[in-house]
Structures are given as C-alpha cells and as structure tokens.
C-alpha cells in the first residue's frame, strides 16, 4: 500500500469480533468510506484483520493500537495495508513497515515528537488526542514543520466537528465510537450502518477516496 491510497476517513473498530467487523465491511461496500482500523485489543484482532483483508479487497484494512515491534510483526503477517499507533515507535519498526509496503500512521503530540517521527520515516503522524489540542493545532504545527507534512486527527472526531478538523489543517481523520451505533454493529443492522456512513459522508462533502 502507498500513502496516496490512504482515505481521508478511517473508521476505528475497537472491541468487535470478526462477525461484527464483517458487518461494517459489508456496509462500507455501499459507501465511499472504505477504510477501517481494527485495534489490537479486539477479539482475535490479527486473525480478523487477515480475514477481512482477504475477503474485501476494495476495503483498506489497518491495524490500530500498535504498541511495539511484536505488534508490527503480527500486523505485517496479517497482510494489512497500514498501521496506526497511540504511541511513538522506534525507527527500526517504522523501517520494517516500509520494507513490507505497510503505511505507517504514528502517534505524536508535541512539535518535537512530530518532527522525530517524520525523521524516522513515518508516512503520516497521528495527533492524539486531537480534540484536546484544538482544531487548528495542525496549522500551528505546519508553520515551523512545513505545509507538506501529513497529519491525522484522532480522538474526539465526529460528524459534528470533522469539517473543523479538516479546515484546521488535517489531511485525515480517524473516527471511533461516534461513527456507528454499537448495537447496529453487533446486531448486523446493515441498513443503519450504511445510513451512518452516508451521514458522515454528507458532513465531509464529496469524499474522493483519498
């Protein structure tokens, strides 16, 4: 996978099993939002990621809550296209991802941390928790670090404020529990899941898949 293939919006799925994740994947096939993050603290997370990646080729599947080198190895083995972390990673782990064509979305917060992760080769730096530092934090970072840096907002992003994050300089957003009603995911209410995705699309405007 290439960084150019990363979508603007990634749905974060935490705590769901394979069947529940599959419900979301099925709903995504009727949406322009086709990027999901399966967190490592979900049931059989790596196995689920591999199954979904194999079954739904049109969907970008990433592993989230990557905490260490062992997680990186397992994510690569699962065949995901990208990884996301809530913490900074060492340079060797980021390099290993690049060698295996896995896009890296590495978490950082301060200007020094953000700069360090890009110097290690991170493709995208995830600002987390984004809502706590304000919608314009990305613009503030880009002043000294460069307008070309790619930042993703995660933490507190919803359909009610996603436009504010994009206007604030973020190229990407990750959306957690506010994306779907949990009962719709658990019960396989595909119609409602599609509706939730469409509502988010409408708030974003035209989503071009990038």
């Amino acid at each position: 996978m290439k960084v150019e293939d990363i979508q603007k919006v990634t749905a974060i799925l935490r705590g769901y099993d394979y069947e529940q994740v599959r419900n979301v994947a099925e709903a995504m096939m009727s949406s322009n939002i086709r990027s999901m993050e399966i967190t490592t603290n979900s049931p059989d997370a790596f196995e689920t990621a591999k199954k979904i990646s194999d079954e739904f080729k049109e969907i970008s599947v990433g592993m989230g809550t990557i905490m260490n080198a062992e997680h990186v190895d397992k994510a690569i083995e699962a065949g995901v296209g990208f990884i996301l972390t809530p913490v900074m990673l060492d340079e060797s782990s980021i390099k290993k991802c690049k060698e295996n064509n896995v896009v890296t979305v590495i978490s950082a917060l301060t200007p020094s941390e953000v700069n360090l992760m890009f110097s290690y080769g991170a493709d995208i730096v995830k600002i987390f928790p984004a809502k706590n530092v304000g919608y314009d934090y990305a613009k503030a970072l880009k002043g000294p670090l460069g307008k070309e840096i790619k930042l993703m907002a995660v933490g507190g992003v919803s359909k009610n404020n996603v436009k504010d994050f994009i206007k604030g300089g973020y190229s990407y957003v990750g959306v957690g529990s506010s994306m779907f009603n949990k009962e719709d995911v658990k019960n396989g209410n595909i119609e409602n899941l599609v509706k939730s995705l469409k509502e988010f699309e409408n708030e974003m405007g035209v989503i071009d898949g990038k």
Side-chain angles (χ1 to χ4, degrees), residues 71-87:
H71 281 172
V72 167
D73 289 340
K74 289 183 176 180
I76 292 171
E77 290 174 6
V80 299
F82 60 108
I83 65 162
L84 307 95
T85 78
V87 295

Side-chain angles (χ1 to χ4, degrees), residues 160-171:
N160 298 320
N161 61 22
V162 63
K163 286 183 179 179
D164 295 319
F165 281 109
I166 298 300
K167 290 178 181 177
Y170 289 95
S171 302

Side-chain angles (χ1 to χ4, degrees), residues 19 53 56 58 62 104 128-129:
E19 291 297 338
S53 296
F56 294 90
E58 302 90 344
T104 51
F128 172 81

